[in-house]
Amino acid sequence: MINVGIVGGTGYTGSELLRLLVRHPHAAVDVVTSRGEVGKPVAESFAHLRGHLDLVFSAADTPALRNCDLVFFATPNGTAMHDAPALLREGVRVIDLAADFRLDDVAVWEHWYGVRHASPELVADAVYGLPEINRERIRGARLVANPGCYPTAVTLGLLPLVEAGVIALSPVIADVKSGVSGAGRKANAGLLMAEVGESFKAYSVAGHRHQPEICANLRRATGQAVDLTFVPHLVPMVRGIEATLYAPLRDRDAQLQALFEQRYAGEPFVDVVAASVALETRSVRGTNNCRLSVQRPLDGDIVVVQSVIDNLVKGAAGQAVQNMNLMFGFDERAGLDAVAMAP
Amino acid sequence: MINVGIVGGTGYTGSELLRLLVRHPHAAVDVVTSRGEVGKPVAESFAHLRGHLDLVFSAADTPALRNCDLVFFATPNGTAMHDAPALLREGVRVIDLAADFRLDDVAVWEHWYGVRHASPELVADAVYGLPEINRERIRGARLVANPGCYPTAVTLGLLPLVEAGVIALSPVIADVKSGVSGAGRKANAGLLMAEVGESFKAYSVAGHRHQPEICANLRRATGQAVDLTFVPHLVPMVRGIEATLYAPLRDRDAQLQALFEQRYAGEPFVDVVAASVALETRSVRGTNNCRLSVQRPLDGDIVVVQSVIDNLVKGAAGQAVQNMNLMFGFDERAGLDAVAMAP
Amino acid sequence: MINVGIVGGTGYTGSELLRLLVRHPHAAVDVVTSRGEVGKPVAESFAHLRGHLDLVFSAADTPALRNCDLVFFATPNGTAMHDAPALLREGVRVIDLAADFRLDDVAVWEHWYGVRHASPELVADAVYGLPEINRERIRGARLVANPGCYPTAVTLGLLPLVEAGVIALSPVIADVKSGVSGAGRKANAGLLMAEVGESFKAYSVAGHRHQPEICANLRRATGQAVDLTFVPHLVPMVRGIEATLYAPLRDRDAQLQALFEQRYAGEPFVDVVAASVALETRSVRGTNNCRLSVQRPLDGDIVVVQSVIDNLVKGAAGQAVQNMNLMFGFDERAGLDAVAMAP
Amino acid sequence: MINVGIVGGTGYTGSELLRLLVRHPHAAVDVVTSRGEVGKPVAESFAHLRGHLDLVFSAADTPALRNCDLVFFATPNGTAMHDAPALLREGVRVIDLAADFRLDDVAVWEHWYGVRHASPELVADAVYGLPEINRERIRGARLVANPGCYPTAVTLGLLPLVEAGVIALSPVIADVKSGVSGAGRKANAGLLMAEVGESFKAYSVAGHRHQPEICANLRRATGQAVDLTFVPHLVPMVRGIEATLYAPLRDRDAQLQALFEQRYAGEPFVDVVAASVALETRSVRGTNNCRLSVQRPLDGDIVVVQSVIDNLVKGAAGQAVQNMNLMFGFDERAGLDAVAMAP
């Protein structure tokens, strides 16, 4: 049994970590911090945790974090880079669910995130926490950069194609759609239900931070530079990401279904389905699964991959727990065996 | 004032026609037919029409249709091709909101729709009712094939690029998303709110009937054969279509914004917005507008066009009224001046 | 043609006023103010108004308001009581869509709204703008207090019963449900779609400001003091209010349907439907209608009234326009003839 | 480990039983029947079960049911009364999730369900499966009538008040609201998302079958006849029931909060919260909990109880599993320890 802490437990990734960890067989949540709600019972902020968790929020600088085996940063971008180093020095392992350590090129990071990186020396140390490409390094990591939600869905969908060299690397299109919980739990008039309900839109078409993250993933895993166009959209639902990925087929004889099935044969959380199955986001809701399908519309030369995840689970908190399981030698599936909630 | 009839008035395109026509300054609805609800007041089936319409449903073969100046077929595919010819022979003009006359190649039509065409001789006569490419021919038409909802959004988005020759014609990607009213008002367990609410999915990835329709439109308007990959998705909302379109830029000096603005300068229902404007489907809800934006993500070589319409208005009934206005010499905007309903 | 101004045009009641007024045959919007967005085109904040309105937001204290025939306050509670007096002194007529002048008892108002009333001397002058009980006084009013959304739905539902004396006055229950736009357009984490989507709850059960407003309405109209329990609920949709009202029947021979039909026989915006009709909020969406039905479940001694309105139209901006029409001698229906948008 | 069967596994109560049972520590699902999908893998119909269940649908009359320790009927009303007797004779225990055995008065049942009861002799034998009032009888039951969703929420909310005699028994009002999954998974145009999305309505106001069930529950548990007015409503969401209950307080000194807390002190699935807590349906989504609060608005004489459940769990499948746990001597909580999914 390990003791874990959560820094910034008042957002959705924090509450989802709690939802998963209160059922985890090998981890106990010892401390949850919040800047604004110190002393308040966590279950008052998150009624769904009532009866499952007896903690109150601690201050962000509580020394209790130093006694944890692992601390999750469920904070906005730019927090962990300041606060993680001290914990790491104490021997506490860290998983950052934000973006601070996701890009190994600090200059690129600073360009996209608009601030100076506070701990550039840690960036090389950090392990990108996508187990499907980095499992062994995650096992030994002190600091894991938990992937973004979109990059998880898109990287897993493109990976088999790029690795196998069956597609041309340009142009590759990722048209992705997310439920509104992906935008977090902050007071923002643009995310009111009266603003985003019963409507659909693209956003950040000119450029989104997850584009370089995906490209870095694919380069890291395959050595290839993919020319990716990435357009995110907002869906009037709470949870779920669907990515529809398009790439020009180079090898017309490629056995795409087999390629995907083989690539992910041993993966506990990647499920390749037949092209005939409709891939609904709700089929993975509340679970750590990524479901993929691959096909060639009208038997043409464009490969289309569909990828669905729950943005708060495989796209955030569930993947963080999967990484924790790897880092501490637990069964990779521990605490992550929920059945999706449908309808 | 003309007298119009609606065949098949119990679906969403029929009820939307009624919603628009009861306010139209130059058209009066004389007859609405229904196979299943003969004798029932229309406003009992459609409570929103209560107080605006005093008709009862007539039988599908009512002779009253022959006294109309214009009959709209708001029927399933495969109905108008049987029933329109008799009306046309009586001098009644016809607008078919289904697909029977949308493809000029009868063999292609029969392939996609899976039945023999009952009136192939009429196909050449029919005018495809997208005013932005066919305005003059619509004015003189006896039989108008009202465009599909997806083809309207996609064709208008790609047209300026193809006409001007600024993109390569392959690969062109149309990733389109529709609210559930696009699937019609039929008892279908797959469209229950408990099935499609809080979820998102692609469908018909292997091939969808609107793909050949869009290709035919572009070929008709520009003489060019576009290699189009078209993937539709279902959004958990009632109304609205968003299309995100991707094409390789050929001419890096193209002034895309100006190109779109000039192409649609005189169009009453196409509105080109600045790239900085978020294109939400609700900004056109209930209206006959198509809103477009164009940009190059990360200043790269892929052009991204966004196109939003209300699938029941510009994507169906509103465009049919626009066509009626043209056919009868009314102001093209007559009856179509609503302000979008937001929030 | 009159010139009107809107103070506080960045919320939902303001944008809905604009949606209605840009189509009004006898009123032109001359000025729209905003504290935060001075100089910005209104149609940038409200994309659905693009093409319909060419104004920019003015400062809240713009002298242009003094040249208006009528100024609407679409502001938070507590604004009009400060700013309306100066306009009234200049001869400008005022309709306040907030609560400042709705309760004639200033002490009760101050209790519920928690501040001192800034213009208690104007309260007696103000006319409560529910045309169905106050039409003649509204025609001559300088200052109209536009009713709350819940009070509109509940008052119209209970009025015939109380006036006719067919129910006991205690206990009367109003279980009301509203879409989220009723909570306004302010940055509030509690109204994020991720918080209120796919969920349902009661709120303010201990007491809500609209309870005394409803009781005052019924007392004003009938001289009777109703012992009302009022519980509001939040529905995961954007627009619409449904009120289910329960009262003990006193007169078992009362002809309830006839009573309601007669009470509202001449009313342009109240529609009494048969008990067999399902009263959906969407059947009045976008319109100024209130639809009512009345029945006795299991033929028992409890009368159940259903009342549906669009909270932004008959519950706010539409009723304000109806009041404007009365104040200026226009057709009461002018600008309010939309057909509901369904689906 | 017991072997269980499910008759009628293609609806929502069936799929929800499967969702719960595949994780149950003491029960294994051996057989799932379906009239329409014999031979089809269950996980093809229910994608969320993929990877958790390897069964195919069996025919409704499969002899395999006779080898089960327990069979759940997740069928429409009127099925179990025909098919359960044969199983019971074989010693198989039965839980009917439909209404066939819920009312002990056969004449009343026949009145409300409109058919002759096929097994009236079994009605007296059947135990109404609401553990909070019938725990001991359920332990020994051969045949359990699993309660309706609304009756569960309403009965648990009213029970402490009626038992303690602190309210007058007339008029008692239950204004209840349900997500659309409560209506089942049948092709019904009235439940399309395009029909029920973005709208709210009451239904069955004249009388609903759950009214006599609730009255029977309260009479059974307390000996009192409650004069109940019950009005159900449809909420545009998938899961969840909220009941707002109103009753006249008789004993003004009653300690309502304490009364509720004491009544449910030992109950594993009833959670009484402070009046200040907003009771959202999502706070119990996916769980077997019923959450209750009680208060007196404006300190008046009407008691208001709020009750929230997940209609598919405590309102159907979860309660059935709770009953199974009792019947077979398992921990009552076994398989029912999920944390609610929010957001």
Side-chain angles (χ1 to χ4, degrees):
Chain A
M1 204 75 169
I2 59 169
N3 297 324
V4 305
I6 298 175
V7 177
T10 51
Y12 293 135
T13 53
S15 78
E16 190 72 356
L17 271 172
L18 288 166
R19 191 177 75 86
L20 297 170
L21 290 170
V22 296
R23 297 254 75 83
H24 198 283
H26 310 308
V29 181
D30 261 25
V31 52
V32 184
T33 77
S34 156
R35 276 180 209 287
E37 311 201 357
V38 179
K40 187 177 168 186
V42 175
E44 268 183 33
S45 286
F46 296 111
H48 62 294
L49 297 173
R50 192 179 143 91
H52 296 282
L53 188 71
D54 240 355
L55 290 175
V56 299
F57 287 111
S58 300
D61 59 355
T62 174
L65 290 170
R66 280 180 252 144
N67 300 324
C68 292
D69 298 292
L70 172 68
V71 168
F72 295 96
F73 280 81
T75 43
N77 297 325
T79 304
M81 69 183 184
H82 287 290
D83 297 347
L87 291 170
L88 290 165
R89 281 193 297 270
E90 303 268 346
V92 180
R93 284 193 264 185
V94 167
I95 298 178
D96 179 25
L97 283 84
D100 295 12
F101 302 101
R102 288 186 196 153
L103 298 182
D104 41 25
D105 186 325
V106 172
V108 171
W109 189 92
E110 291 180 342
H111 169 75
W112 281 97
Y113 290 88
V115 290
R116 262 198 106 60
H117 203 293
S119 303
E121 72 288 355
L122 277 177
V123 169
D125 252 25
V127 176
Y128 189 78
L130 190 63
E132 290 78 7
I133 58 175
N134 253 353
R135 182 168 283 110
E136 288 316 308
R137 293 193 61 217
I138 294 165
R139 287 195 215 274
R142 293 189 313 142
L143 171 58
V144 165
N146 210 59
C149 50
Y150 288 133
T152 296
V154 176
T155 304
L156 293 175
L158 291 176
L159 196 61
L161 299 171
V162 179
E163 282 179 345
V166 297
I167 57 166
L169 300 178
S170 173
V172 176
I173 308 292
D175 189 292
V176 295
K177 302 90 176 176
S178 176
V180 294
S181 62
R185 189 171 176 245
K186 47 186 174 290
N188 177 342
L191 293 167
L192 296 178
M193 181 160 183
E195 293 294 304
V196 296
E198 269 294 302
S199 196
F200 183 91
K201 65 172 177 187
Y203 66 97
S204 296
V205 180
H208 186 282
R209 294 161 171 182
H210 285 174
Q211 197 266 4
E213 185 177 335
I214 299 163
C215 291
N217 291 346
L218 293 170
R219 198 179 49 240
R220 201 153 26 198
T222 69
Q224 311 271 6
V226 172
D227 174 23
L228 178 73
T229 298
F230 170 84
V231 178
H233 301 73
L234 195 63
V235 185
M237 65 182 184
V238 177
R239 282 181 186 238
I241 282 178
E242 193 267 357
T244 308
L245 311 170
Y246 305 84
L249 188 64
R250 205 166 62 180
D251 173 5
R252 301 209 78 208
D253 297 326
Q255 300 297 310
L256 297 172
Q257 185 71 21
L259 177 65
F260 273 68
E261 289 178 0
Q262 284 157 19
R263 174 58 179 86
Y264 293 121
E267 285 298 339
F269 297 112
V270 183
D271 179 23
V272 179
V273 306
S276 59
V277 173
L279 269 187
E280 305 171 285
T281 58
R282 68 171 187 165
S283 84
V284 297
R285 185 166 45 195
T287 79
N288 200 47
N289 291 335
C290 174
R291 282 207 170 135
L292 298 170
S293 79
V294 58
Q295 56 194 308
R296 290 169 47 195
L298 304 177
D299 292 320
D301 288 339
I302 297 293
V303 183
V304 174
V305 178
Q306 295 169 66
S307 174
V308 294
I309 62 171
D310 183 323
N311 56 300
L312 294 180
V313 191
K314 184 64 175 170
Q319 187 141 265
V321 171
Q322 185 181 358
N323 283 320
M324 176 190 81
N325 289 341
L326 289 168
M327 292 164 83
F328 288 87
F330 307 144
D331 180 338
E332 193 169 339
R333 291 176 185 82
L336 295 171
D337 60 348
V339 184
M341 203 172 74
Chain B
M1 205 75 171
I2 60 169
N3 296 324
V4 306
I6 299 175
V7 177
T10 53
Y12 293 135
T13 53
S15 77
E16 190 71 356
L17 271 172
L18 288 167
R19 190 177 75 85
L20 298 171
L21 290 170
V22 295
R23 296 253 74 84
H24 198 283
H26 310 308
V29 181
D30 260 26
V31 54
V32 184
T33 78
S34 157
R35 274 179 210 288
E37 311 200 358
V38 179
K40 186 177 167 186
V42 175
E44 268 184 31
S45 287
F46 296 110
H48 62 296
L49 297 174
R50 189 178 146 92
H52 297 281
L53 189 72
D54 240 356
L55 289 175
V56 300
F57 286 112
S58 300
D61 60 353
T62 174
L65 290 170
R66 280 179 255 144
N67 299 323
C68 293
D69 298 292
L70 172 68
V71 167
F72 296 95
F73 280 81
T75 43
N77 297 326
T79 304
M81 69 183 185
H82 287 290
D83 297 347
L87 291 169
L88 290 165
R89 281 192 297 272
E90 302 268 347
V92 179
R93 284 192 264 185
V94 167
I95 298 178
D96 179 24
L97 283 83
D100 295 12
F101 301 101
R102 288 187 196 153
L103 299 182
D104 42 24
D105 186 325
V106 172
V108 172
W109 189 90
E110 291 180 342
H111 168 74
W112 280 96
Y113 290 87
V115 290
R116 258 198 110 60
H117 203 294
S119 302
E121 73 288 355
L122 277 177
V123 169
D125 252 24
V127 176
Y128 188 78
L130 190 62
E132 291 79 6
I133 59 176
N134 253 354
R135 183 168 281 111
E136 288 316 308
R137 293 194 58 218
I138 294 165
R139 288 193 214 274
R142 293 191 312 143
L143 170 58
V144 165
N146 210 59
C149 50
Y150 288 133
T152 297
V154 176
T155 304
L156 293 176
L158 292 176
L159 196 60
L161 299 170
V162 179
E163 282 179 344
V166 296
I167 58 166
L169 299 178
S170 173
V172 176
I173 309 292
D175 189 291
V176 293
K177 304 88 177 176
S178 175
V180 295
S181 62
R185 189 172 176 243
K186 47 188 174 288
N188 176 342
L191 293 168
L192 295 179
M193 181 161 183
E195 293 295 304
V196 296
E198 268 294 302
S199 197
F200 184 90
K201 67 172 176 186
Y203 66 97
S204 296
V205 181
H208 185 282
R209 293 160 172 183
H210 284 173
Q211 197 266 1
E213 185 177 336
I214 298 163
C215 291
N217 290 347
L218 293 170
R219 198 178 49 241
R220 199 153 28 195
T222 70
Q224 311 272 5
V226 172
D227 174 24
L228 178 74
T229 298
F230 170 85
V231 177
H233 301 74
L234 196 62
V235 184
M237 64 182 185
V238 177
R239 282 182 186 237
I241 282 179
E242 193 267 358
T244 308
L245 311 171
Y246 304 84
L249 187 64
R250 206 166 60 181
D251 173 5
R252 302 208 78 209
D253 297 324
Q255 300 298 311
L256 297 173
Q257 185 72 20
L259 177 65
F260 272 68
E261 289 177 1
Q262 284 156 20
R263 175 58 179 84
Y264 293 122
E267 285 297 339
F269 296 114
V270 183
D271 179 24
V272 179
V273 304
S276 58
V277 173
L279 270 186
E280 305 172 283
T281 57
R282 69 171 186 163
S283 83
V284 297
R285 184 165 47 195
T287 77
N288 199 47
N289 291 334
C290 174
R291 282 208 171 135
L292 298 171
S293 78
V294 59
Q295 56 194 309
R296 290 167 49 193
L298 303 176
D299 292 320
D301 288 338
I302 297 293
V303 183
V304 174
V305 177
Q306 296 170 65
S307 173
V308 295
I309 61 170
D310 182 323
N311 57 301
L312 294 179
V313 191
K314 184 64 176 170
Q319 188 143 266
V321 171
Q322 185 181 0
N323 284 321
M324 175 189 83
N325 288 341
L326 289 168
M327 292 163 83
F328 288 87
F330 307 143
D331 179 338
E332 192 169 340
R333 292 175 184 82
L336 296 171
D337 60 349
V339 184
M341 203 172 73
Chain C
M1 207 72 169
I2 59 169
N3 297 323
V4 306
I6 298 176
V7 177
T10 52
Y12 292 135
T13 51
S15 78
E16 190 72 357
L17 271 172
L18 288 167
R19 191 177 74 87
L20 297 171
L21 289 171
V22 297
R23 297 253 76 82
H24 198 284
H26 310 308
V29 181
D30 259 26
V31 53
V32 184
T33 79
S34 156
R35 274 180 211 288
E37 312 200 357
V38 178
K40 187 177 168 187
V42 175
E44 268 185 32
S45 286
F46 296 110
H48 62 295
L49 297 174
R50 192 179 144 90
H52 296 283
L53 188 72
D54 241 354
L55 290 175
V56 299
F57 286 112
S58 301
D61 59 354
T62 174
L65 290 170
R66 279 180 253 145
N67 300 323
C68 292
D69 297 293
L70 172 69
V71 168
F72 295 95
F73 279 81
T75 44
N77 297 324
T79 304
M81 69 184 184
H82 287 290
D83 297 348
L87 292 170
L88 290 166
R89 279 193 299 271
E90 303 268 347
V92 179
R93 284 192 263 185
V94 167
I95 298 178
D96 179 24
L97 283 82
D100 295 12
F101 301 101
R102 288 186 196 152
L103 298 182
D104 41 24
D105 185 326
V106 172
V108 171
W109 189 90
E110 291 180 343
H111 169 74
W112 280 96
Y113 289 88
V115 289
R116 260 199 108 59
H117 202 293
S119 302
E121 73 288 354
L122 277 177
V123 170
D125 252 26
V127 175
Y128 188 78
L130 190 63
E132 292 78 7
I133 59 175
N134 253 354
R135 184 167 282 111
E136 288 316 309
R137 293 193 60 217
I138 295 164
R139 287 194 214 274
R142 292 190 313 142
L143 169 59
V144 165
N146 210 58
C149 51
Y150 288 135
T152 297
V154 176
T155 304
L156 293 175
L158 291 176
L159 196 61
L161 298 171
V162 179
E163 282 179 345
V166 297
I167 57 166
L169 299 179
S170 173
V172 175
I173 309 292
D175 189 292
V176 294
K177 303 89 177 177
S178 176
V180 295
S181 62
R185 190 170 176 245
K186 47 186 173 290
N188 176 342
L191 294 168
L192 295 178
M193 183 161 181
E195 293 293 304
V196 296
E198 268 294 301
S199 196
F200 184 91
K201 66 172 176 185
Y203 66 97
S204 297
V205 180
H208 185 283
R209 293 161 171 182
H210 284 174
Q211 197 266 4
E213 185 177 336
I214 299 163
C215 291
N217 290 347
L218 293 171
R219 199 178 47 241
R220 202 154 24 198
T222 69
Q224 311 272 4
V226 172
D227 174 23
L228 178 74
T229 299
F230 170 85
V231 178
H233 301 73
L234 196 63
V235 184
M237 65 182 184
V238 178
R239 282 181 186 236
I241 282 179
E242 193 267 357
T244 309
L245 311 170
Y246 304 85
L249 187 64
R250 205 164 64 179
D251 173 5
R252 304 209 75 207
D253 297 325
Q255 300 297 311
L256 297 173
Q257 185 72 20
L259 177 64
F260 272 69
E261 290 177 1
Q262 284 157 19
R263 174 57 180 84
Y264 293 120
E267 285 297 339
F269 296 113
V270 183
D271 179 23
V272 179
V273 305
S276 59
V277 173
L279 269 187
E280 305 171 285
T281 57
R282 70 171 185 164
S283 84
V284 296
R285 185 167 43 196
T287 78
N288 199 46
N289 291 334
C290 174
R291 280 205 171 138
L292 299 170
S293 78
V294 56
Q295 57 193 307
R296 290 167 49 194
L298 303 177
D299 293 320
D301 287 339
I302 297 293
V303 182
V304 174
V305 177
Q306 296 170 66
S307 174
V308 295
I309 61 170
D310 183 321
N311 56 300
L312 294 180
V313 191
K314 184 64 176 171
Q319 186 141 267
V321 171
Q322 186 181 357
N323 284 319
M324 175 189 82
N325 288 341
L326 289 168
M327 292 164 83
F328 288 86
F330 305 145
D331 180 337
E332 192 169 341
R333 292 176 184 80
L336 295 170
D337 59 348
V339 184
M341 203 172 74
Chain D
M1 206 71 170
I2 59 170
N3 297 323
V4 306
I6 298 176
V7 177
T10 51
Y12 293 134
T13 53
S15 78
E16 190 71 357
L17 271 172
L18 289 167
R19 190 177 74 86
L20 298 170
L21 290 169
V22 295
R23 297 252 75 82
H24 198 282
H26 311 307
V29 181
D30 261 25
V31 53
V32 184
T33 77
S34 157
R35 274 179 210 289
E37 311 200 359
V38 179
K40 186 178 169 185
V42 174
E44 267 184 33
S45 286
F46 296 109
H48 62 296
L49 297 173
R50 191 177 145 91
H52 296 282
L53 189 72
D54 240 355
L55 290 175
V56 299
F57 286 111
S58 300
D61 59 355
T62 174
L65 290 171
R66 279 181 254 145
N67 299 325
C68 293
D69 298 292
L70 172 68
V71 168
F72 295 94
F73 279 82
T75 43
N77 298 325
T79 304
M81 70 182 184
H82 287 289
D83 297 347
L87 291 169
L88 290 165
R89 280 192 299 270
E90 302 269 347
V92 179
R93 284 192 264 185
V94 168
I95 298 179
D96 178 25
L97 282 83
D100 295 12
F101 301 102
R102 288 186 196 153
L103 298 182
D104 40 25
D105 185 325
V106 172
V108 172
W109 190 91
E110 292 180 341
H111 168 74
W112 280 96
Y113 290 87
V115 290
R116 263 199 105 63
H117 203 293
S119 302
E121 71 289 355
L122 276 177
V123 170
D125 252 24
V127 175
Y128 188 78
L130 189 63
E132 291 78 6
I133 58 175
N134 254 354
R135 183 167 282 110
E136 288 317 307
R137 294 194 59 216
I138 294 165
R139 288 193 213 276
R142 294 189 312 143
L143 170 59
V144 164
N146 210 58
C149 50
Y150 288 134
T152 296
V154 176
T155 304
L156 293 175
L158 291 176
L159 196 61
L161 299 171
V162 179
E163 282 179 345
V166 297
I167 57 166
L169 300 178
S170 173
V172 176
I173 309 292
D175 189 291
V176 294
K177 303 88 176 177
S178 176
V180 295
S181 62
R185 190 172 176 244
K186 46 186 176 289
N188 176 343
L191 294 167
L192 295 178
M193 181 160 183
E195 293 293 304
V196 296
E198 268 294 303
S199 196
F200 183 90
K201 66 172 176 186
Y203 65 98
S204 296
V205 180
H208 185 283
R209 292 159 172 184
H210 283 174
Q211 196 267 2
E213 185 177 335
I214 298 163
C215 291
N217 290 347
L218 293 170
R219 199 178 48 240
R220 202 154 24 197
T222 69
Q224 311 273 4
V226 172
D227 174 23
L228 179 74
T229 298
F230 170 86
V231 177
H233 301 73
L234 196 63
V235 184
M237 64 182 184
V238 178
R239 282 180 186 239
I241 281 179
E242 193 266 358
T244 308
L245 311 171
Y246 304 85
L249 187 64
R250 206 166 61 178
D251 173 4
R252 303 209 76 208
D253 297 324
Q255 300 297 312
L256 297 172
Q257 185 72 21
L259 178 65
F260 272 69
E261 289 177 2
Q262 283 156 21
R263 176 56 181 84
Y264 292 121
E267 285 297 338
F269 296 114
V270 183
D271 179 23
V272 179
V273 304
S276 59
V277 174
L279 271 186
E280 304 172 284
T281 57
R282 69 172 186 165
S283 83
V284 297
R285 184 166 46 196
T287 79
N288 200 45
N289 291 334
C290 174
R291 282 207 170 136
L292 299 171
S293 78
V294 57
Q295 56 193 307
R296 291 167 48 194
L298 303 178
D299 293 320
D301 287 339
I302 297 293
V303 183
V304 173
V305 178
Q306 295 171 66
S307 174
V308 295
I309 62 171
D310 183 322
N311 56 300
L312 294 179
V313 192
K314 184 63 175 169
Q319 187 143 266
V321 171
Q322 185 181 359
N323 283 321
M324 176 190 82
N325 288 342
L326 289 168
M327 291 164 83
F328 287 87
F330 306 144
D331 180 339
E332 192 169 340
R333 291 177 185 80
L336 295 171
D337 59 349
V339 185
M341 203 173 74

